[in-house]
Amino acid sequence: MGRNVVYQPILNFTKYCMIAAGIWPLPLSTENALLLKLYSTYSTFVQIFLPLFLSSLCIQFVVAVTDTYSDNDPDKLFKHVSYIITMGSVEVVVIICQKEKFKGVVSFIVEEEKEIVRSEDNEILKFHRFQVKLCRASNWAVFIFTFGVAISMTIENFLQRAEIEEYNKAHGEEMEKPLPYELYYFGLNKNDHQTLLLVMISIANIMIDLLVASTKMIFISCIIFVPSTLKKLQIKFKKIEFREGNLFVNVGNLAFEHQHVIDFVENLNDLIKYVILLEYLLNSLNLAAVSIQFMTNQQLSPIFYFSFLIIQTFVLGWSANEIKIQSEALAHALYESSWYNQNDAIKKMLLTMILRAQKPLVLTTGPFDAMTTESALRVMKASYSYVTLMMNKYE
């Protein structure tokens, strides 16, 4: 990351996806009043659209389950449950993104990254460059697989509709052609308003994909960034300058910076720990549901969705584990400095910082234990158990 390299911030791709989805938490970097007004209107529309779409999914699911004349095809039910789970978690994240506390987290990342990029230390820059590449690769994977699900679903629906159309012509029947989503259409007849509903669903599909992708990407980006700021602090601890006249200032600034990072991680954890718990619990069910879909129907969309869930689960687990590792290294970095050559007042301050660094910074799954790669493996084990249970029930 040389001085002449054009640097792309870690939140760059995520920011533009969130802007497109209407949920970017910070003000837009523009003075154009018309553009700001249009974006505000669009953002408000998204805040209304999402709960309506989720409500429509839930109502239609209840209608399908309670309909005595419906065959309640397990494949359709599993697919419906998967949609409800996904959109429910998206709605929770959208609400969190509008909170002032979360805006503070994003602002901290933006400002802290500017300091990292201004650093002259190659070790700090090299580590952060790796984190940026990891974040970009993870976000692109989430984006591609999210839209892969949507495109494959659209193709599958088109082929299914064409097959039914051909059957109707050959047999003189009027079999109902399915729509991409099983929704409650609030009085609109699916047969009489097919074209209108297809257009509405196509527009909604793009918005939904942007919302799903951006809400997953923002948490991934925030978590991947944390080790960068911890690594920067480690290197500062190792290379702390004990210059006469600036001794208390240097050590005091590092102590303040250390506390600032601790507060940042704790605030991030407070905001997302229950969302992470929900994601891990629901990912187990989602993985099971899409596995059943593929085994019973062997379509392409479950493969894309399965890949999306796997990437999200393991990236979150690995990145959270990296936070724990890097924070544990802070105490060792301080101990490697020449603290033992300082006066008693400085020694006491540094030893206090060493003691404070003994407690690793972690992201937790709700009120439970720290999120690590082991947490991701538990999700896989749970999903396997759910698949076994579901297959036994519907054999």
Side-chain angles (χ1 to χ4, degrees):
M1 199 181 298
R3 298 293 113 190
N4 297 323
V5 175
V6 177
Y7 176 73
Q8 295 293 326
I10 197 167
L11 293 180
N12 199 51
F13 184 45
T14 306
K15 173 183 176 179
Y16 289 119
C17 284
M18 293 184 77
I19 288 173
I23 58 171
W24 176 244
L26 301 182
L28 298 182
S29 54
T30 178
E31 299 296 327
N32 189 312
L34 177 60
L35 187 61
L36 292 172
K37 182 66 175 176
L38 287 173
Y39 183 75
S40 177
T41 303
Y42 172 62
S43 183
T44 302
F45 170 74
V46 170
Q47 308 295 323
I48 297 171
F49 160 78
L50 185 55
L52 280 176
F53 185 86
L54 179 58
S55 300
S56 180
L57 276 173
C58 293
I59 293 171
Q60 183 59 32
F61 179 74
V62 173
V63 170
V65 171
T66 56
D67 186 358
T68 55
Y69 297 100
S70 173
D71 60 357
N72 284 335
D73 180 7
D75 176 55
K76 288 184 178 179
L77 290 179
F78 285 136
K79 186 182 290 187
H80 211 121
V81 169
S82 180
Y83 293 155
I84 292 172
I85 289 171
T86 301
M87 296 313 299
S89 63
V90 168
E91 172 66 11
V92 171
V93 176
V94 168
I95 292 171
I96 289 175
C97 286
Q98 306 311 309
K99 291 181 176 291
E100 289 300 321
K101 199 172 185 179
F102 189 76
K103 293 177 184 179
V105 166
V106 176
S107 297
F108 176 87
I109 292 174
V110 172
E111 296 304 317
E112 183 73 6
E113 189 173 28
K114 289 178 182 177
E115 183 179 339
I116 290 173
V117 174
R118 286 195 299 265
S119 172
E120 298 293 333
D121 192 294
N122 287 329
E123 191 177 352
I124 294 174
L125 295 174
K126 183 179 178 181
F127 185 87
H128 185 60
R129 180 164 62 243
F130 173 80
Q131 295 301 107
V132 171
K133 288 180 178 178
L134 173 64
C135 184
R136 189 177 301 152
S138 301
N139 286 341
W140 269 110
V142 167
F143 185 85
I144 289 168
F145 281 111
T146 300
F147 277 85
V149 173
I151 292 168
S152 57
M153 279 177 53
T154 302
I155 294 172
E156 288 162 5
N157 182 255
F158 175 80
L159 294 174
Q160 191 176 7
R161 289 172 64 84
E163 186 180 329
I164 292 174
E165 180 72 25
E166 187 177 335
Y167 178 87
N168 288 343
K169 287 180 179 178
H171 297 83
E173 296 185 13
E174 289 295 330
M175 186 185 296
E176 186 179 276
K177 289 179 283 188
L179 292 166
Y181 290 103
E182 292 292 330
L183 298 171
Y184 183 75
Y185 294 104
F186 300 100
L188 287 176
N189 187 285
K190 287 194 283 186
N191 290 325
D192 297 338
H193 302 90
Q194 281 275 319
T195 304
L196 174 62
L197 290 175
L198 279 172
V199 171
M200 290 171 60
I201 289 174
S202 297
I203 295 171
N205 206 16
I206 296 172
M207 294 179 61
I208 289 163
D209 292 336
L210 285 169
L211 284 165
V212 171
S214 56
T215 52
K216 305 304 179 186
M217 286 158 56
I218 185 61
F219 280 179
I220 288 174
S221 300
C222 289
I223 293 172
I224 288 177
F225 173 77
V226 175
S228 284
T229 195
L230 291 170
K231 188 70 173 181
K232 184 198 74 172
L233 203 55
Q234 279 179 43
I235 294 167
K236 281 190 172 184
F237 281 173
K238 285 181 185 178
K239 300 178 180 179
I240 185 171
E241 297 180 5
F242 296 106
R243 295 194 304 268
E244 289 297 331
N246 292 320
L247 207 54
F248 282 99
V249 174
N250 288 340
V251 177
N253 285 341
L254 274 184
F256 176 78
E257 192 172 341
H258 186 200
Q259 186 58 51
H260 205 36
V261 171
I262 292 172
D263 292 341
F264 163 66
V265 177
E266 289 178 348
N267 286 337
L268 179 62
N269 187 55
D270 287 342
L271 280 166
I272 71 173
K273 62 182 179 182
Y274 290 105
V275 176
I276 295 296
L277 175 62
L278 182 66
E279 287 280 352
Y280 269 54
L281 292 174
L282 297 184
N283 277 3
S284 301
L285 293 171
N286 261 334
L287 283 166
V290 296
S291 299
I292 294 292
Q293 278 181 247
F294 178 73
M295 286 187 285
T296 57
N297 212 0
Q298 295 193 345
Q299 293 179 331
L300 189 59
S301 56
I303 297 176
F304 279 105
Y305 194 35
F306 185 87
S307 303
F308 162 76
L309 292 170
I310 291 291
I311 289 169
Q312 181 196 8
T313 301
F314 279 97
V315 167
L316 287 175
W318 185 87
S319 300
N321 193 65
E322 189 68 14
I323 292 173
K324 185 172 182 286
I325 292 170
Q326 294 298 334
S327 68
E328 287 174 336
L330 286 174
H332 297 289
L334 263 176
Y335 189 76
E336 289 175 14
S337 69
S338 58
W339 61 272
Y340 43 82
N341 291 327
Q342 310 311 312
N343 61 46
D344 289 342
I346 296 299
K347 281 182 182 178
K348 186 175 180 180
M349 188 183 298
L350 290 170
L351 287 173
T352 301
M353 291 169 65
I354 290 174
L355 288 172
R356 187 165 55 182
Q358 294 295 317
K359 181 182 177 183
L361 298 173
V362 295
L363 299 179
T364 61
T365 49
F368 305 113
D369 57 352
M371 181 171 63
T372 62
T373 48
E374 181 64 29
S375 306
L377 292 174
R378 284 200 293 267
V379 170
M380 301 306 298
K381 291 176 183 177
S383 64
Y384 176 77
S385 300
Y386 293 147
V387 168
T388 304
L389 181 65
M390 291 174 183
M391 291 301 292
N392 290 336
K393 183 175 181 179
Y394 286 98
E395 279 181 351

